[in-house]
Amino acid sequence: MSHTSTRLETPFTTAALGSDVSFWKSYIASRPTPSEDFFRLINKYHANHGDGRMEVAHDVGTGPGNIAARLAPYYDQVVGSDVNEQALDAAPKLISPDLLKRMTFIRSPAEGLVTAGLPTNLQQTDLLVVSECMPLLDAPRALEAFHALMRPGGTLAIYFYGRPIFQDPVCDAIYDRMATRICRFLLPFQGTPGEPFHRRGAEGLVSYLDNIALPASDWENVERHKWNCDYPLLFNSPEGFDFEFHPVDRRAEGEITHDIVDREFWAHDWDADDVKAYLDSVYPHYRSQAGEKYAEIEAMREELRAAMGGKQKVTFSVVLVLGTRK
């Protein structure tokens, strides 16, 4: 992509141009699946704060609706919103009819949800989940929209997962080289339409989402849960970017932060091909931009394959931010 390109490239998105069901099945399979305990933790927080009503849940950045479907067993109605029309078109084909009849999908940016034309009965949300997209959003504007959309006593749950963590540090090092090289294939970021998104994303991840302020005027009972954040949340090292960025901490007095190291958390059995599929879903278009240099990635995948020796347990750095709407 040149400096004069008008195509908008954003980080850790698929940038998919189709709604083919097989593509989205592969996309879902390439991403880590949150454990049911993760959703139980969110719902326990919701039950212990505010009014605990479980009528409407809203999954922001829903993509093909896989996380929205995970919320449906707990809530009477579930909304999934996204800017990716192709993903939303695929969602009804991937979700069981029993769940689908209680689900609504709407195309809207997070910052514009208040004026997105939701049915009246879905405009007061009990749980609003922001899945893997908050670092890309204009956080103050998005939080204003979330606050307006939620009932007093409702729960906001923002979460993000980062790079895979291997049992063998050698594999971690190979992964980091591989991801960083892929990121550099996408340069330049500076001077392109996607630069603001890359800067937001990099700052958010290097800050473990602590750069996202939840104003005390709007939110209370703020808890930040961090699993395996002795590893970076960034998908690749800072050397993959063409701009500098630094951690920012906007946590307020009275917030609670839980730091947890648990190498069983969201554990998956992956091999080198699974890792490669994950990277392909995180970095859109890199293969076409790599050209002949794509062979470098293939070589690193074989290096990783040899180091892993087949299937190996991997886990992830994960951050969950919870707040109660005042």
Side-chain angles (χ1 to χ4, degrees):
M1 182 174 63
S2 71
H3 282 281
T4 58
S5 172
T6 58
R7 185 171 72 180
L8 178 62
E9 296 280 7
T10 59
F12 44 85
T13 63
T14 62
L17 299 178
S19 54
D20 180 73
V21 171
S22 62
F23 167 83
W24 288 108
K25 284 182 177 178
S26 298
Y27 168 78
I28 292 169
S30 73
R31 293 295 184 109
T33 302
S35 65
E36 204 60 39
D37 284 345
F38 183 73
F39 295 103
R40 292 191 189 106
L41 185 155
I42 293 172
N43 286 323
K44 182 179 179 180
Y45 172 94
H46 181 60
N48 290 339
H49 301 87
D51 64 14
R53 292 168 66 169
M54 303 184 76
E55 296 175 15
V56 180
H58 189 133
D59 179 36
V60 177
T62 196
N66 49 308
I67 298 301
R70 298 287 298 276
L71 300 174
Y74 298 99
Y75 290 82
D76 297 337
Q77 297 287 326
V78 177
V79 179
S81 62
D82 205 296
V83 294
N84 189 323
E85 187 174 9
Q86 290 74 28
L88 295 175
D89 287 345
K93 304 168 190 174
L94 297 167
I95 296 169
S96 71
D98 286 347
L99 295 182
L100 193 59
K101 64 186 179 183
R102 295 189 289 107
M103 301 177 73
T104 300
F105 293 95
I106 186 166
R107 186 184 183 193
S108 175
E111 299 90 340
L113 281 169
V114 175
T115 58
L118 280 167
T120 303
N121 65 317
L122 300 177
Q123 291 178 6
Q124 288 290 290
T125 301
D126 300 303
L127 172 69
L128 193 147
V129 176
V130 188
S131 304
E132 202 72 359
C133 65
M134 191 67 189
L136 295 183
L137 305 180
D138 181 328
R141 287 183 58 216
L143 287 166
E144 285 180 7
F146 300 158
H147 188 269
L149 195 62
M150 294 173 67
R151 284 194 180 99
T155 292
L156 174 66
I158 300 167
Y159 77 88
F160 200 96
Y161 54 82
R163 65 173 65 199
I165 300 169
F166 300 83
Q167 294 175 297
D168 185 347
V170 171
C171 297
D172 288 317
I174 298 169
Y175 165 86
D176 192 72
R177 282 194 286 110
M178 193 173 176
T180 301
R181 186 67 184 101
I182 288 173
C183 190
R184 292 195 64 80
F185 285 139
L186 298 172
L187 298 181
F189 297 145
Q190 288 196 76
T192 70
E195 180 180 357
F197 297 93
H198 286 283
R199 286 189 177 274
R200 285 179 194 165
E203 181 187 280
L205 300 195
V206 79
S207 304
Y208 297 96
L209 306 192
D210 288 341
N211 67 319
I212 299 169
L214 269 63
S217 58
D218 293 337
W219 309 97
E220 59 186 346
N221 308 315
V222 177
E223 296 182 7
R224 297 174 187 258
H225 297 257
K226 300 178 181 181
W227 291 270
N228 299 317
C229 288
D230 53 334
Y231 277 74
L233 198 60
L234 274 168
F235 293 107
N236 55 264
S237 71
E239 287 71 29
F241 300 89
D242 59 357
F243 54 82
E244 291 188 3
F245 53 96
H246 305 281
V248 176
D249 191 344
R250 296 190 177 99
R251 287 177 290 180
E253 185 177 353
E255 293 187 7
I256 298 172
T257 299
H258 303 276
D259 286 296
I260 306 147
V261 174
D262 180 359
R263 298 295 192 250
E264 298 295 327
F265 185 72
W266 288 19
H268 289 61
D269 289 327
W270 277 9
D271 60 21
D273 292 332
D274 295 316
V275 176
K276 174 64 164 45
Y278 182 58
L279 288 167
D280 288 348
S281 76
V282 169
Y283 299 96
H285 305 309
Y286 86 85
R287 183 167 183 171
S288 62
Q289 292 180 233
E292 293 181 357
K293 293 182 180 179
Y294 176 74
E296 298 175 27
I297 305 304
E298 290 290 273
M300 281 186 266
R301 175 168 58 169
E302 294 311 307
E303 186 182 355
L304 183 62
R305 190 189 310 279
M308 292 182 73
K311 292 283 186 180
Q312 182 182 120
K313 183 177 70 177
V314 301
T315 187
F316 300 86
S317 49
V318 181
V319 174
L320 169 67
V321 183
L322 295 167
T324 304
R325 194 266 203 204
K326 285 186 174 179

PDB file of all heavy atoms in Angstrom, residues 12 79 83 85 91 145 166 169 191 231 254:
ATOM      1  N   PHE A  12      -5.592  -6.158  13.232  1.00  0.00           N
ATOM      2  CA  PHE A  12      -6.323  -7.313  13.777  1.00  0.00           C
ATOM      3  C   PHE A  12      -7.782  -7.394  13.340  1.00  0.00           C
ATOM      4  O   PHE A  12      -8.688  -7.597  14.104  1.00  0.00           O
ATOM      5  CB  PHE A  12      -6.194  -7.438  15.304  1.00  0.00           C
ATOM      6  CG  PHE A  12      -6.331  -6.173  16.112  1.00  0.00           C
ATOM      7  CD1 PHE A  12      -7.576  -5.690  16.498  1.00  0.00           C
ATOM      8  CD2 PHE A  12      -5.209  -5.484  16.515  1.00  0.00           C
ATOM      9  CE1 PHE A  12      -7.692  -4.545  17.265  1.00  0.00           C
ATOM     10  CE2 PHE A  12      -5.318  -4.337  17.269  1.00  0.00           C
ATOM     11  CZ  PHE A  12      -6.556  -3.873  17.645  1.00  0.00           C
ATOM     12  N   VAL A  79     -28.342  -8.793  20.712  1.00  0.00           N
ATOM     13  CA  VAL A  79     -28.037  -7.977  19.534  1.00  0.00           C
ATOM     14  C   VAL A  79     -26.565  -8.147  19.193  1.00  0.00           C
ATOM     15  O   VAL A  79     -25.708  -8.159  20.081  1.00  0.00           O
ATOM     16  CB  VAL A  79     -28.329  -6.485  19.802  1.00  0.00           C
ATOM     17  CG1 VAL A  79     -27.978  -5.640  18.573  1.00  0.00           C
ATOM     18  CG2 VAL A  79     -29.775  -6.283  20.206  1.00  0.00           C
ATOM     19  N   VAL A  83     -19.459  -3.223  11.805  1.00  0.00           N
ATOM     20  CA  VAL A  83     -19.399  -2.423  10.578  1.00  0.00           C
ATOM     21  C   VAL A  83     -19.200  -3.300   9.352  1.00  0.00           C
ATOM     22  O   VAL A  83     -19.321  -2.824   8.224  1.00  0.00           O
ATOM     23  CB  VAL A  83     -18.269  -1.363  10.645  1.00  0.00           C
ATOM     24  CG1 VAL A  83     -18.570  -0.323  11.710  1.00  0.00           C
ATOM     25  CG2 VAL A  83     -16.915  -2.021  10.888  1.00  0.00           C
ATOM     26  N   GLU A  85     -20.396  -5.668   6.877  1.00  0.00           N
ATOM     27  CA  GLU A  85     -21.669  -6.174   6.364  1.00  0.00           C
ATOM     28  C   GLU A  85     -21.575  -7.631   5.943  1.00  0.00           C
ATOM     29  O   GLU A  85     -22.526  -8.411   6.111  1.00  0.00           O
ATOM     30  CB  GLU A  85     -22.122  -5.311   5.179  1.00  0.00           C
ATOM     31  CG  GLU A  85     -23.503  -5.648   4.668  1.00  0.00           C
ATOM     32  CD  GLU A  85     -23.982  -4.685   3.594  1.00  0.00           C
ATOM     33  OE1 GLU A  85     -23.162  -3.860   3.132  1.00  0.00           O
ATOM     34  OE2 GLU A  85     -25.169  -4.752   3.227  1.00  0.00           O
ATOM     35  N   ALA A  91     -23.581 -14.392   9.528  1.00  0.00           N
ATOM     36  CA  ALA A  91     -23.947 -14.803  10.889  1.00  0.00           C
ATOM     37  C   ALA A  91     -25.188 -15.692  10.944  1.00  0.00           C
ATOM     38  O   ALA A  91     -25.154 -16.754  11.599  1.00  0.00           O
ATOM     39  CB  ALA A  91     -24.118 -13.565  11.777  1.00  0.00           C
ATOM     40  N   ALA A 145     -21.713   6.338  23.759  1.00  0.00           N
ATOM     41  CA  ALA A 145     -22.770   5.578  23.098  1.00  0.00           C
ATOM     42  C   ALA A 145     -23.187   4.381  23.941  1.00  0.00           C
ATOM     43  O   ALA A 145     -24.391   4.091  24.077  1.00  0.00           O
ATOM     44  CB  ALA A 145     -22.303   5.127  21.716  1.00  0.00           C
ATOM     45  N   PHE A 166       3.301 -20.009  24.378  1.00  0.00           N
ATOM     46  CA  PHE A 166       3.694 -21.396  24.209  1.00  0.00           C
ATOM     47  C   PHE A 166       4.329 -21.942  25.486  1.00  0.00           C
ATOM     48  O   PHE A 166       4.781 -21.190  26.350  1.00  0.00           O
ATOM     49  CB  PHE A 166       4.683 -21.525  23.043  1.00  0.00           C
ATOM     50  CG  PHE A 166       4.124 -21.060  21.727  1.00  0.00           C
ATOM     51  CD1 PHE A 166       4.126 -19.704  21.388  1.00  0.00           C
ATOM     52  CD2 PHE A 166       3.587 -21.960  20.819  1.00  0.00           C
ATOM     53  CE1 PHE A 166       3.608 -19.267  20.177  1.00  0.00           C
ATOM     54  CE2 PHE A 166       3.072 -21.530  19.602  1.00  0.00           C
ATOM     55  CZ  PHE A 166       3.073 -20.183  19.284  1.00  0.00           C
ATOM     56  N   PRO A 169       9.763 -21.425  25.486  1.00  0.00           N
ATOM     57  CA  PRO A 169      10.159 -20.057  25.098  1.00  0.00           C
ATOM     58  C   PRO A 169      10.752 -19.964  23.694  1.00  0.00           C
ATOM     59  O   PRO A 169      10.676 -18.898  23.071  1.00  0.00           O
ATOM     60  CB  PRO A 169      11.196 -19.676  26.163  1.00  0.00           C
ATOM     61  CG  PRO A 169      10.887 -20.557  27.331  1.00  0.00           C
ATOM     62  CD  PRO A 169      10.381 -21.843  26.755  1.00  0.00           C
ATOM     63  N   GLY A 191       0.976   8.131   7.528  1.00  0.00           N
ATOM     64  CA  GLY A 191       0.559   8.804   6.317  1.00  0.00           C
ATOM     65  C   GLY A 191      -0.522   8.095   5.535  1.00  0.00           C
ATOM     66  O   GLY A 191      -0.852   8.511   4.425  1.00  0.00           O
ATOM     67  N   TYR A 231       3.062 -11.625  29.691  1.00  0.00           N
ATOM     68  CA  TYR A 231       3.389 -11.610  28.268  1.00  0.00           C
ATOM     69  C   TYR A 231       2.687 -10.415  27.629  1.00  0.00           C
ATOM     70  O   TYR A 231       1.671  -9.940  28.126  1.00  0.00           O
ATOM     71  CB  TYR A 231       2.920 -12.899  27.581  1.00  0.00           C
ATOM     72  CG  TYR A 231       3.874 -14.053  27.712  1.00  0.00           C
ATOM     73  CD1 TYR A 231       4.008 -14.730  28.920  1.00  0.00           C
ATOM     74  CD2 TYR A 231       4.657 -14.467  26.638  1.00  0.00           C
ATOM     75  CE1 TYR A 231       4.881 -15.799  29.050  1.00  0.00           C
ATOM     76  CE2 TYR A 231       5.535 -15.531  26.760  1.00  0.00           C
ATOM     77  CZ  TYR A 231       5.647 -16.187  27.960  1.00  0.00           C
ATOM     78  OH  TYR A 231       6.519 -17.232  28.087  1.00  0.00           O
ATOM     79  N   GLY A 254      -9.827   3.844  43.071  1.00  0.00           N
ATOM     80  CA  GLY A 254     -10.934   2.986  43.465  1.00  0.00           C
ATOM     81  C   GLY A 254     -11.172   1.808  42.541  1.00  0.00           C
ATOM     82  O   GLY A 254     -11.918   0.887  42.894  1.00  0.00           O
TER      83      GLY A 254
END
